[in-house]
Amino acid sequence: MRAFEGPRPVEWFYLEMAKALGLPGAGTDGFGPGAHFNTVEDYYLKMAANVAYAGGKPVPDASAEELKLFTDTRNKVLKDTWDEAAWKAAVTAEEWPKVAYVLNRGGRFEGHGGQEYENGYEGDWLKYRYEGMCAFYDPKVGAAKDPMTGKNFDGMATLRQPLRSDGSGYPTHDTPLQFVNWKSRNHGTHRTVNSPWLREVRGSNYIHLNSVDARARGIQTNDKVMVRSATAEVEGVAYVTEGIRPGVVGADAAYGHSGYAAHAYTIDGEQVLPPAEYGHGKAAQAVTPGHEETGFAGPRRAGFSVNDLLADDTVEVPSGVTDPIGGGAAQLDTWVEVTRL
């Protein structure tokens, strides 16, 4: 159902812009003679038809009972925000029952087959094998040079330990746990912490530890802990879970802001205060990880910044370690120790 009256899917804008510019592939006969692209449904339902006919063996037609279920469900949930005639016009009459079959199931799935792995393997080989070209040597990578050493990169896939720019490894003699980080379910990037609604879902990040590592350190869920890397120390709250493997700890990367209106700052002599806070008292924020039922957003500064823990490189200008070929931050290559406070 629509959350608000008025807004439309962004695909409508793209379609109308393409038609206004006279771009090929849009409008009447956009997909070929008789195959139009005049509505958003024209595009996505053709995609569902591709799924229905993929692999040379199409799915069965939806039965009359199933077609009625398809229509009744959308009439009840989507009401007047969907147009069945427009949906049917997006594909051929022959394709429509198969499209309904796929959409009713949320995709196309193969049966188990009776025996374990029967539909997954042919002997020792995967049944559905990759049919494209595998480039074991990449000439572009082999032609590029490491900016620190001047030597060409190896165009073949290699396995080596993470290194800093001078070729040295990371100091890990007293930091035995590999630290990783990820985007949380409720934040697409670190920038979305500006949304109080998203912070209501989870107001802070936690240190995720496996129970094996937690027991060895006397740590339980909701304990305050210190996370120490070769670069920095941060304080956080422990979350003991089997969702992370032993020897690895990690945290959501969206939290722990020092800027971005998390604190007051001054521009041209005028102080700019953080957004007004609500429900940020200590009692409201005493939340056990996994039990954020209070509904309070928490401040933007809550939690800790995973970037503070990342290893420093050895170049003259202070910076983090990066992948020398792709240039991405080496955000999965930091080693830490976690202790209970």
Side-chain angles (χ1 to χ4, degrees), residues 123-174:
D124 292 333
W125 294 86
L126 285 172
K127 182 177 180 179
Y128 301 105
R129 296 182 283 276
Y130 177 66
E131 297 179 356
M133 182 183 74
C134 290
F136 291 97
Y137 176 79
D138 190 326
K140 291 185 177 180
V141 174
K145 293 186 177 182
D146 187 324
M148 303 305 298
T149 66
K151 297 181 180 180
N152 287 78
F153 290 117
D154 193 336
M156 298 286 287
T158 59
L159 178 65
R160 63 170 177 79
Q161 71 178 92
L163 300 175
R164 295 181 288 186
S165 295
D166 64 355
S168 63
Y170 293 4
T172 60
H173 62 281
D174 61 347

Side-chain angles (χ1 to χ4, degrees), residues 75-329:
N75 282 335
K76 180 178 180 179
V77 177
L78 300 179
K79 297 183 172 62
D80 59 352
T81 63
W82 86 296
D83 183 345
E84 185 171 18
W87 283 40
K88 286 184 175 180
V91 295
T92 66
E94 176 188 355
E95 293 168 342
W96 176 249
K98 299 184 185 301
V99 168
Y101 183 94
V102 169
L103 294 181
N104 271 355
R105 291 159 177 77
R108 180 174 180 173
F109 307 95
E110 189 173 41
H112 184 273
Q115 298 296 321
E116 187 177 13
Y117 307 130
E118 180 178 332
N119 281 333
Y121 286 83
E122 292 177 345
D124 292 333
W125 294 86
L126 285 172
K127 182 177 180 179
Y128 301 105
R129 296 182 283 276
Y130 177 66
E131 297 179 356
M133 182 183 74
C134 290
F136 291 97
Y137 176 79
D138 190 326
K140 291 185 177 180
V141 174
K145 293 186 177 182
D146 187 324
M148 303 305 298
T149 66
K151 297 181 180 180
N152 287 78
F153 290 117
D154 193 336
M156 298 286 287
T158 59
L159 178 65
R160 63 170 177 79
Q161 71 178 92
L163 300 175
R164 295 181 288 186
S165 295
D166 64 355
S168 63
Y170 293 4
T172 60
H173 62 281
D174 61 347
T175 49
L177 301 172
Q178 187 165 9
F179 181 81
V180 299
N181 63 83
W182 55 82
K183 294 180 180 178
S184 62
R185 293 177 299 171
N186 55 309
H187 287 289
T189 71
H190 66 283
R191 295 184 296 276
T192 55
V193 78
N194 68 343
S195 170
W197 285 6
L198 296 180
R199 298 201 308 276
E200 286 177 3
V201 177
R202 175 164 289 176
S204 179
N205 56 353
Y206 310 114
I207 306 298
H208 290 59
L209 305 93
N210 184 274
S211 60
V212 172
D213 299 317
R215 282 196 300 270
R217 292 161 175 79
I219 296 173
Q220 296 181 349
T221 292
N222 211 34
D223 284 346
K224 291 185 178 180
V225 294
M226 175 75 73
V227 185
R228 175 178 53 83
S229 70
T231 304
E233 294 180 346
V234 300
E235 293 186 12
V237 176
Y239 180 32
V240 180
T241 172
E242 300 307 315
I244 195 166
R245 64 172 296 168
V248 180
V249 298
D252 301 344
Y255 299 90
H257 284 260
S258 57
Y260 202 31
H263 299 275
Y265 56 94
T266 302
I267 299 178
D268 294 334
E270 182 177 349
Q271 189 179 49
V272 180
L273 299 176
E277 299 181 353
Y278 66 95
H280 293 175
K282 291 184 178 179
Q285 291 306 312
V287 177
T288 300
H291 296 275
E292 295 85 356
E293 292 95 0
T294 63
F296 292 122
R300 297 188 186 191
R301 63 180 180 275
F304 69 93
S305 171
V306 300
N307 287 343
D308 291 342
L309 292 169
L310 301 186
D312 285 340
D313 208 339
T314 53
V315 294
E316 292 184 8
V317 179
S319 63
V321 179
T322 61
D323 167 43
I325 297 176

Side-chain angles (χ1 to χ4, degrees), residues 62-72 84 96-98 100-101 104:
S63 65
E65 181 181 4
E66 188 173 333
L67 287 171
K68 183 177 184 300
L69 175 65
F70 181 90
T71 300
D72 290 347
E84 185 171 18
W96 176 249
K98 299 184 185 301
Y101 183 94
N104 271 355

